[in-house]
Amino acid sequence: MRSPATTPRRRFKARRWLIPPLAALVLALNPLLSPTAEAAIGGSFVDNLDSFDTGRWHKADNWTNGSMFNVGWRADHTWFSGGVMGINLDNATCPSGCSGKPYASGEYRSNDLFTYGRFEARLQAVKRPGTVTGFFTYTGPSDGQPWDEIDVEILGKNTTQMQTNYFTNGVGGHETVINLGFDASAGFHDYAIEWWNQGTINWFVDGKLVHQENGSRGALPTHPMRIMTNLWPGIGVDSWLDPFVYPGTPLTARFDRLKYTKY
């Protein structure tokens, strides 16, 4: 999402936030690596992730968000097999092959921007303190727009919970923690963001409404956004994510389906 150099991307809990720049920001901001948009506005689709559809998606490669993201994005760390897309987090060829970071991982991003509708992912998160498995929408300067974003984040320190958040014109601080009632790392579950032009954002888990924002805590996003998924370890945010210690073998987030329904 942002520029190779470093553009902080998103979030945060109460005061831990700052970072003007999800993975945030920088995320989407890489003008060199993302199709800029004048990008098309995409229509409804279902992708069962049987293979890499280059007409719809691209993989972040050979850059880093910097800031709290202690990882370099590598295209070869997003893979497809048996009807599942996986994102690996490891330390292979790092730091020289990882944009100077000690770890490598993947980020999957839509080519098009998408307007109001329902964004869905069926995924299995990573359980490991210090990590975030993310499914979110994002736009920013690389798309010629303000930084808008809507998040589903599962923190590896407690995979029985999900954190929601949104950013409008770079202003976040709208985090809410949802108790899932299950372990998101133990199997696949359905997560959905309903961005409704009637003035709400609704989050669903396995078809059940679990949270709603109506603008009472701050203006809601209005700009078309890309659909994105990623897996990353944090640095300098131990109070939020807990410290990350690499286990010595790759960590893998898995995605079984990505879907968008235009409203």
Side-chain angles (χ1 to χ4, degrees):
M1 319 166 93
R2 104 273 293 303
S3 117
T6 280
T7 304
R9 163 202 164 225
R10 65 223 266 58
R11 119 196 14 335
F12 318 135
K13 258 198 121 143
R15 348 167 234 253
R16 61 177 72 133
W17 55 301
L18 301 247
I19 315 196
L22 164 312
L25 176 136
V26 41
L27 280 136
L29 300 181
N30 194 327
L32 301 179
L33 305 175
S34 304
T36 68
E38 297 116 43
I41 300 301
S44 301
F45 71 83
V46 178
D47 191 334
N48 291 316
L49 302 175
D50 295 321
S51 62
F52 178 22
D53 182 351
T54 57
R56 179 171 287 132
W57 307 97
H58 60 281
K59 303 176 184 181
D61 190 42
N62 197 34
W63 60 283
T64 178
N65 289 4
S67 186
M68 74 185 76
F69 297 84
N70 202 21
V71 65
W73 302 127
R74 292 258 302 273
D76 62 358
H77 279 50
T78 300
W79 52 265
F80 295 82
S81 180
V84 169
M85 179 182 78
I87 296 179
N88 285 355
L89 166 59
D90 62 27
N91 62 358
T93 75
C94 298
S96 61
C98 308
S99 302
K101 295 291 185 175
Y103 306 107
S105 190
E107 181 172 82
Y108 202 52
R109 306 150 57 100
S110 67
N111 297 334
D112 292 346
L113 303 178
F114 295 85
T115 58
Y116 298 105
R118 186 180 177 100
F119 303 81
E120 303 177 56
R122 183 165 178 80
L123 67 87
Q124 182 177 8
V126 163
K127 181 195 287 285
R128 188 72 182 182
T131 65
V132 177
T133 302
F135 164 59
F136 55 100
T137 63
Y138 171 90
T139 190
S142 64
D143 293 325
Q145 300 188 136
W147 170 16
D148 281 3
E149 181 175 338
I150 306 173
D151 299 320
V152 167
E153 295 177 312
I154 298 174
L155 311 189
K157 70 177 184 180
N158 185 348
T159 50
T160 68
Q161 296 180 331
M162 172 183 85
Q163 180 174 289
T164 68
N165 196 8
Y166 71 91
F167 287 77
T168 302
N169 198 19
V171 177
H174 307 109
E175 297 86 354
T176 299
V177 174
I178 307 298
N179 290 317
L180 295 172
F182 57 82
D183 184 346
S185 72
F188 287 98
H189 290 270
D190 296 315
Y191 304 85
I193 298 165
E194 186 181 55
W195 181 31
W196 186 240
N197 61 1
Q198 314 255 330
T200 60
I201 304 171
N202 304 307
W203 284 262
F204 296 82
V205 176
D206 290 335
K208 178 182 177 182
L209 178 66
V210 296
H211 183 61
Q212 181 181 88
E213 292 285 352
N214 61 12
S216 61
R217 294 207 288 168
L220 303 181
T222 58
H223 296 86
M225 294 183 273
R226 298 183 191 275
I227 303 169
M228 304 175 68
T229 65
N230 61 17
L231 170 64
W232 53 278
I235 185 170
V237 285
D238 290 358
S239 62
W240 177 44
L241 302 182
D242 285 354
F244 177 69
V245 177
Y246 182 60
T249 56
L251 300 167
T252 304
R254 292 176 170 83
F255 298 80
D256 187 51
R257 182 178 63 249
L258 293 170
K259 179 180 179 180
Y260 167 71
T261 305
K262 187 173 183 176
Y263 286 0

